[in-house]
Amino acid sequence: MKTFLLLFLLLPVQPVASQEVCLSAEERKLYDLIMGYRKSRKLPTIPYSAKLTKVAQAHVRDLVAHFDYENRAECNPHSWSDQGNWTPCCYTPDHKQAACMWNKPKEIAGYESEGYEIAFYSSDGAEAEESLAGWKSSPGHHPVIVNEGTWKDVEWKSIGLGIFGTYAVVWFGVLEDKSVLSVCK
């Protein structure tokens, strides 16, 4: 089984009309696991963000449908295809094309603040427990989840989650999002 962890800083651009967003049972499980882990470290709960969840869910579906993980040397999994209602983007390993990804929260969902994406890949299919375990063991991802290192002075005010196929994605944001988010039935 192959696993791959991804980190990314996000900055905004132009909003797109919003749609109702909900969490699947596995996404809800991931949220609960992350919040339980934060609670065990005496950190506050991070409220759901419908906007960041919309972006996360769009991204995991786009990755599953259009990203060739085996050929990630040219465009890594922070890339977006030309098959959606967004600007396509090849995020290169040298980070020179990073701005193409930074634009997605505002472009897709109208989230008007910086965000931070962590992503997980498993060739066996991404699941909540495995994703969190991967992030907890990663020196680049763990500090984002528990506000350590570079993130010690950051107050996360919103979180968005997406799990689909082989990918799990979580976006953290500093802007409160009062959009409606529910659990899918």
Side-chain angles (χ1 to χ4, degrees):
M1 171 180 53
K2 295 179 189 172
T3 59
F4 190 73
L5 302 169
L6 305 163
L7 292 170
F8 205 79
L9 180 65
L10 302 163
L11 300 171
V13 284
Q14 298 185 355
V16 172
S18 63
Q19 298 174 359
E20 185 177 39
V21 178
C22 61
L23 293 177
S24 69
E26 197 68 15
E27 290 162 344
R28 174 61 194 225
K29 182 177 184 179
L30 179 57
Y31 174 81
D32 290 342
L33 289 170
I34 291 171
M35 293 311 115
Y37 182 59
R38 285 179 57 84
K39 183 178 180 180
S40 77
R41 298 179 62 97
K42 299 184 181 2
L43 295 168
T45 297
I46 306 167
Y48 290 118
S49 166
K51 291 178 181 180
L52 291 180
T53 295
K54 179 178 180 177
V55 177
Q57 291 174 348
H59 197 202
V60 292
R61 281 166 175 72
D62 185 53
L63 288 167
V64 167
H66 305 290
F67 185 73
D68 181 0
Y69 186 80
E70 297 304 319
N71 293 317
R72 65 189 177 279
E74 182 179 338
C75 300
N76 74 29
H78 289 298
S79 301
W80 291 70
S81 76
D82 62 358
Q83 301 298 309
N85 293 326
W86 51 72
T87 306
C89 143
C90 174
Y91 185 94
T92 55
D94 63 8
H95 306 289
K96 288 183 179 179
Q97 302 299 321
C100 72
M101 184 59 175
W102 296 344
N103 298 330
K104 296 303 178 241
K106 194 166 186 182
E107 178 183 356
I108 293 171
Y111 186 77
E112 296 186 22
S113 185
E114 295 177 349
Y116 201 79
E117 178 187 58
I118 59 175
F120 179 82
Y121 169 84
S122 173
S123 60
D124 290 339
E127 294 178 349
E129 285 128 353
E130 181 187 19
S131 299
L132 181 57
W135 291 322
K136 285 169 64 174
S137 68
S138 167
H141 296 81
H142 187 254
V144 178
I145 296 169
V146 297
N147 297 96
E148 290 181 347
T150 304
W151 308 103
K152 70 179 177 170
D153 295 325
V154 175
E155 181 182 353
W156 298 129
K157 293 186 179 181
S158 57
I159 188 171
L161 305 96
I163 298 177
F164 185 73
T166 53
Y167 292 92
V169 175
V170 178
W171 288 34
F172 296 84
V174 297
L175 177 70
E176 186 176 357
D177 179 8
K178 295 184 185 219
S179 302
V180 176
L181 182 66
S182 59
V183 177
C184 295
K185 299 196 188 229

